[in-house]
Amino acid sequence: MPQPFFVLAPMANVTDAAFRRLIAKYGRPDVMYTEFVSANGLCSKGLENLLIDLKYSKKEKPIVAQVFTADPKKMQEAAKIIQKLGFDGLDINMGCPDKNVVKQGAGAALMKNPKIAAELIKAAKLGAPKLPISVKTRIGDTKNDLASWLPVLLKAKPAAIIIHGRTRKELSMVPADWQTIKQAVDLAKGSGVLIIGNGDVKDLDDARAKAKMTGCDGIMIGRAVFGNPWLFSTKTDFKKISVKKKLKVMLEHTKLFDKLLGQDKPFHIMRKHYKAYASGFDGAKELRVKLMQTENVKDVERAIKSAFAKASADKN
Ligand SMILES: Cc1cc2nc3c(=O)[nH]c(=O)nc-3n(C[C@H](O)[C@H](O)[C@H](O)COP(=O)(O)O)c2cc1C
């Protein structure tokens, strides 16, 4: 791994197989994470459905699968499956604030249950002895509890800990606290556990600056990748990419989604990407309105065509 290394964040219904494949082509990070998947589900008859979320291609490697559960037995079993599927790492979600996840005692709820959290790391190692195990977490539940929470994780010795610099309660509503992420780096010194900082990183320059300020081993980026599969590229300057190219790649993304996930996932998942691709140019708003009504690839092609027809008519 280069130092610092850059990681694509897990984002449910965003960093799916289609978007990751596109990112692998236009701007590959050093590591990618899948969307989160229920470990309990992986150990049930519903396995087939969840395997859709764990689809990946070789080009996305190294790729880490993220799971959530509060049950160490299920974790061990799920870890075995993840290792068998050929992933390069396994991540345990200990930061998700979603009510359905927290209700199960999983995700962010684990910050209040250090005993189970440690057992989950142990179980993951037992189930997937060949894989590095990481934990993605926050700085606390309702307040900053890093000083007591991080040592629990460090003691269980995962390979890496990703710190999203907010509490569960803060969701994404306040700026990420990079000073606390810096403290995490200091606390982890000498432990051999890598610290990956996360929260509000805008681009690679910002990521490098935050790595320098905190001493983080790696930086994870999520939302900045919306509409920008070139985000992790060191060769492409996003500001110089033409509208035509952006829309061409948006269509490529749509076609990939249709091919890889169209049978299993609703098309409206693509619309949040459209909002990001179609922005910042003349006629973007009009195009966005059209894209919000699309139901398939053909509709998207038509919307793009009419945007170009209008642009050239305006020019003349
Ligand atoms: C739409 C969406 C879905 C997300 N899904 C997950 C998830 O499945 N697992 C996870 O650990 N974090 C998830 N997150 C949180 C991100 O991984 C990341 O921690 C957060 O967005 C902050 O980083 P950013 O400011 O770079 O986006 C999600 C965030 C968003 C916006």
Side-chain angles (χ1 to χ4, degrees):
M1 277 296 173
Q3 281 279 336
F5 57 90
F6 302 116
V7 186
L8 175 69
M11 288 192 284
N13 283 331
V14 179
T15 53
D16 54 25
F19 196 28
R20 289 196 315 264
R21 204 174 283 195
L22 198 76
I23 291 168
K25 179 172 170 187
Y26 290 105
R28 221 164 65 87
D30 297 306
V31 188
M32 292 200 188
Y33 273 55
T34 69
E35 312 163 76
F36 70 178
V37 172
S38 159
N40 297 14
L42 282 179
C43 305
S44 74
K45 282 193 196 123
L47 167 75
E48 285 298 316
N49 283 336
L50 292 177
L51 289 180
I52 296 160
D53 293 334
L54 292 175
K55 244 189 216 179
Y56 69 89
S57 65
K58 280 208 180 99
K59 292 197 174 117
E60 291 149 60
K61 279 178 153 277
I63 182 164
V64 177
Q66 189 191 59
V67 300
F68 66 93
T69 182
D71 181 341
K73 275 204 197 104
K74 303 277 188 208
M75 175 54 77
Q76 188 171 336
E77 214 178 308
K80 218 174 180 175
I81 296 170
I82 297 297
Q83 183 170 291
K84 233 183 187 165
L85 288 171
F87 281 97
D88 301 291
L90 168 64
D91 181 79
I92 309 172
N93 182 313
M94 298 197 190
C96 178
D98 186 279
K99 281 199 184 86
N100 290 323
V101 173
V102 170
K103 216 165 52 191
Q104 302 172 34
L110 288 161
M111 292 188 284
K112 291 192 291 183
N113 201 337
K115 186 170 166 278
I116 297 285
E119 279 176 32
L120 287 171
I121 296 171
K122 195 172 160 197
K125 285 184 183 179
L126 281 171
K130 290 188 193 144
L131 298 187
I133 308 298
S134 66
V135 171
K136 182 165 178 281
T137 190
R138 291 179 175 243
I139 59 175
D141 182 45
T142 55
K143 60 177 183 26
N144 184 342
D145 282 328
L146 185 92
S148 55
W149 170 231
L150 193 68
V152 172
L153 298 177
L154 291 172
K155 198 170 163 212
K157 285 210 167 294
I161 299 172
I162 300 115
I163 317 263
H164 176 188
R166 296 183 177 95
T167 64
R168 174 196 58 80
K169 197 176 162 197
E170 285 167 346
L171 300 169
S172 286
M173 292 186 306
V174 301
D177 175 356
W178 280 86
Q179 280 307 324
T180 297
I181 294 175
K182 186 174 190 293
Q183 281 167 22
V185 172
D186 293 338
L187 280 170
K189 259 196 191 118
S191 66
V193 179
L194 301 178
I195 298 292
I196 302 171
N198 168 241
D200 298 341
V201 177
K202 292 193 287 285
D203 51 32
L204 275 189
D205 283 346
D206 190 21
R208 284 192 197 99
K210 288 197 160 75
K212 197 166 175 205
M213 189 278 279
T214 56
C216 276
D217 301 284
I219 300 288
M220 176 179 268
I221 314 181
R223 290 165 298 172
V225 81
F226 271 104
N228 183 2
W230 300 271
L231 181 80
F232 292 94
S233 168
T234 48
K235 293 185 207 121
T236 314
D237 181 354
F238 184 61
K239 288 185 226 86
K240 290 192 182 142
I241 298 173
S242 67
V243 173
K244 199 167 179 186
K245 175 77 182 171
K246 278 185 198 163
L247 297 183
K248 203 173 148 210
V249 169
M250 178 181 85
L251 184 61
E252 185 181 356
H253 187 170
T254 307
K255 286 181 177 166
L256 267 176
F257 179 87
D258 188 53
K259 184 173 132 194
L260 299 173
L261 302 165
Q263 299 284 319
D264 305 297
K265 301 229 173 192
F267 190 80
H268 67 72
I269 285 179
M270 281 305 298
R271 294 194 196 136
K272 53 175 147 335
H273 293 287
Y274 299 152
K275 246 189 244 167
Y277 282 115
S279 94
F281 55 88
D282 281 348
K285 191 174 169 206
E286 221 175 338
L287 174 59
R288 270 202 309 274
V289 171
K290 283 208 177 93
L291 288 168
M292 286 311 120
Q293 290 153 10
T294 54
E295 297 287 349
N296 52 48
V297 176
K298 282 250 151 4
D299 288 350
V300 175
E301 271 171 337
R302 232 174 274 136
I304 295 174
K305 232 181 217 163
S306 86
F308 281 132
K310 177 146 192 330
S312 76
D314 287 352
K315 241 190 234 165
N316 296 328

